[in-house]
């Protein structure tokens, strides 16, 4: 008789073991909740007031947009130091085209996105095909586009923009129902997104169970999704009672959904992770590593250009110092969000959460009157803690 038939099925494991194995995924979400709760209490409820919450999203929109592209760059085992300068250059280009030459803002936006993609492609060529370290190439790019921004603007600010262009960053979704005191259309959209997220999560869990790979205890699954659904509905309600969902929030949501799908559900996404995990092994398995690295940097340039348009529209002017040190906030957001400095590890959602952590800290400390000097110190320590946490986890695994 086959003795294996009497062996009991392997249990899923204790919740503690699961938590330790997935500390990177859950830790960052818990950290965001704790930080928001801390500043909500310390600011006397100001943090989550509708007007402040809306400003928080608007102020961090361009960081989140660039963090999405930077996540893929870092996952592939590289880094891009030029994104802040590219943002400033594209904003300057948009200002010159729209304000000085009266070119339609739609045409300008398309041209600027194309220019951003070309900049990223040019840098990606040297990195992917000529094997020059990304640190050197993008550091050179940072200096080059800072100089070109100064040249393009002649050292002066250019603006203001037409109101139609400003709507990209400062506009809100109109209420189709015309209710008073609350934007019902925005509320319905938020509830719909929450329901969609819950349905996708349940479907993914059922697929995992059908394939025998589900290891998440039901209590964790239920708690995580309950927190997400409640948070989405509550935050939507807060914004709906102010002016509704900002236009740029919809842009961010679409980008997050598209790039999460690409990273997790497509062959290209899996191959980018494979390159970051072990580029030589990926190449030997038939993956065209050079092409993917090239495309990753071209994509980063395009998203930096989009962030440049959003930032310029928010400021209503292009300035020579636009984008200064933004690359540091973007890279910090990705690492705080759980990406590994050695590549191959990280998620789009994690990068977005990391960007929100940075944004909430900036906003909360500003409300509390913490000086910019100590804000920089605290953000630096948080980044260092995230990297130490990553190193500790890799040594344990």
């Amino acid at each position: 008789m086959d003795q294996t038939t009497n062996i009991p099925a392997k249990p899923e494991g204790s919740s503690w073991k699961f938590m330790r194995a997935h500390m990177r995924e859950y830790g960052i979400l818990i950290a965001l909740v704790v930080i928001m709760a801390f500043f909500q209490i310390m600011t006397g409820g100001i943090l989550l007031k509708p007007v402040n919450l809306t400003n928080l999203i608007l102020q961090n929109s361009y960081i989140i947009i660039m963090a999405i592209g930077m996540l893929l760059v870092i996952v592939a085992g590289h880094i891009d130091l030029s994104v802040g300068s590219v943002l400033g250059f594209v904003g300057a280009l948009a200002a010159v085209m729209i304000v000085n030459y009266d070119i339609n803002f739609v045409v300008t936006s398309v041209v600027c996105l194309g220019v951003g993609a070309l900049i990223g492609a040019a840098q990606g060529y040297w990195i992917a095909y000529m094997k020059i370290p990304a640190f050197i190439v993008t550091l050179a790019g940072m200096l080059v586009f800072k100089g070109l921004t100064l040249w393009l603007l002649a050292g002066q600010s250019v603006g203001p923009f037409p109101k139609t262009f400003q709507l990209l960053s400062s506009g809100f979704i109109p209420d189709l129902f015309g209710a008073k005191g609350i934007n019902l259309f925005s509320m319905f959209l938020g509830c719909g997104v929450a329901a969609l997220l819950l349905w996708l999560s349940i479907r993914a869990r059922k697929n995992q169970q059908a394939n025998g790979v589900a290891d998440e205890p039901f209590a964790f699954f239920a708690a995580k999704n309950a927190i997400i659904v409640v948070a989405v509905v509550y935050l939507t309600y807060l914004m709906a009672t102010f002016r509704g969902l900002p236009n740029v929030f919809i842009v961010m949501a679409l980008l997050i959904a598209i790039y999460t799908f690409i990273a997790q559900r497509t062959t290209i996404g899996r191959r980018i992770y494979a390159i970051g995990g072990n580029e030589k092994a990926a190449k030997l398995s038939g993956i065209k590593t050079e092409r993917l690295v090239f495309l990753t940097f071209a994509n980063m340039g395009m998203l930096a250009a989009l962030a440049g348009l959003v930032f310029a529209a928010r400021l209503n002017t292009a300035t020579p110092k636009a984008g200064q040190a933004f690359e540091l906030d973007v890279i910090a957001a990705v690492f705080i969000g759980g990406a590994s400095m050695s590549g191959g590890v990280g998620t789009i959602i994690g990068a977005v959460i990391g960007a929100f952590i940075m944004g909430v800290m900036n906003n909360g400390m500003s409300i509390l009157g913490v000086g910019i000097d100590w804000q920089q110190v605290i953000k630096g320590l948080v980044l260092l803690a995230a990297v130490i946490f990553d190193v500790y986890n890799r040594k344990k695994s």
Side-chain angles (χ1 to χ4, degrees), residues 162-194:
K163 291 192 177 297
T164 49
F165 180 73
Q166 294 179 46
L167 290 176
L168 173 63
S169 183
S170 60
F172 293 82
I173 294 177
D175 187 6
L176 302 181
F177 302 101
K180 292 184 178 180
I182 186 171
N183 189 316
L184 284 180
F185 184 62
S186 293
M187 194 68 216
F188 287 149
L189 277 179
C191 292
V193 169

Side-chain angles (χ1 to χ4, degrees), residues 27-338:
I28 186 64
L29 184 59
I30 294 171
L32 177 60
V33 173
V34 169
I35 291 171
M36 291 189 72
F38 171 78
F39 281 113
Q40 174 71 354
I41 294 170
M42 294 301 295
T43 60
I46 295 177
L47 181 73
L48 291 182
K49 282 189 174 180
V51 61
N52 189 66
L53 180 63
T54 301
N55 286 334
L56 181 64
I57 291 173
L58 295 177
Q59 288 168 1
N60 292 278
S61 55
Y62 42 89
I63 299 295
I64 293 171
I65 290 169
M66 290 193 290
I68 292 171
M70 186 66 74
L71 184 277
L72 295 179
V73 171
I74 289 175
V75 162
H78 299 281
I79 200 164
D80 191 340
L81 300 176
S82 68
V83 292
S85 297
V86 173
L87 175 149
F89 174 74
V90 169
L93 178 62
V96 169
M97 292 179 68
I98 294 175
V99 178
N100 292 355
Y101 292 98
D102 199 26
I103 299 175
N104 181 272
F105 76 95
V106 175
V107 175
T108 298
S109 298
V110 172
V111 170
C112 287
L113 291 177
V115 168
L118 286 174
I119 291 171
Q123 296 186 136
Y125 170 79
W126 294 107
I127 295 163
Y129 294 102
M130 305 306 293
K131 304 302 180 185
I132 300 176
F135 182 90
I136 300 300
V137 173
T138 58
L139 178 61
M142 179 175 70
L143 299 173
V144 167
F145 291 105
K146 274 185 180 179
L148 288 178
T149 302
L150 284 168
W151 167 77
L152 194 59
L153 295 176
Q156 298 179 344
S157 297
V158 175
F161 291 104
K163 291 192 177 297
T164 49
F165 180 73
Q166 294 179 46
L167 290 176
L168 173 63
S169 183
S170 60
F172 293 82
I173 294 177
D175 187 6
L176 302 181
F177 302 101
K180 292 184 178 180
I182 186 171
N183 189 316
L184 284 180
F185 184 62
S186 293
M187 194 68 216
F188 287 149
L189 277 179
C191 292
V193 169
L196 178 62
L197 290 174
L198 181 61
W199 176 74
L200 290 173
S201 185
I202 293 173
R203 193 180 77 162
R205 182 175 174 84
K206 286 183 177 180
N207 290 336
Q208 290 174 350
Q209 289 175 332
N211 294 323
V213 295
D215 64 342
E216 183 179 33
F218 180 76
F220 278 87
F221 173 80
K224 179 181 72 175
N225 284 280
I227 291 172
I228 292 173
V229 169
V230 170
V232 170
V233 173
Y234 180 62
L235 295 178
T236 300
Y237 168 76
L238 290 177
M239 288 187 286
T241 57
F242 177 53
R243 296 180 62 183
L245 297 176
N247 293 336
V248 73
F249 182 81
I250 303 301
V251 173
M252 288 191 301
L254 289 173
L255 288 175
I256 292 167
I258 292 169
Y259 280 90
T260 297
F261 177 79
I262 291 172
Q264 297 182 356
R265 301 284 183 177
T266 66
T267 302
I268 291 176
R270 289 191 291 268
R271 287 177 175 176
I272 291 173
Y273 279 87
I275 292 171
N278 190 323
E279 186 172 0
K280 289 183 179 179
K283 193 166 187 176
L284 289 173
S285 67
I287 297 175
K288 296 180 179 179
T289 57
E290 290 87 357
R291 179 188 296 177
L292 280 179
V293 171
F294 172 81
L295 292 175
T296 300
F297 276 92
N299 174 74
M300 181 70 257
M302 182 186 69
L303 290 179
L306 176 59
L309 294 174
V310 170
F311 185 71
R314 176 166 172 72
L315 283 186
N316 197 23
T317 187
T319 67
K321 291 187 177 181
Q324 188 171 355
F326 281 8
E327 60 276 354
L328 303 181
D329 283 340
V330 173
I331 294 168
V334 174
F335 283 132
I336 290 171

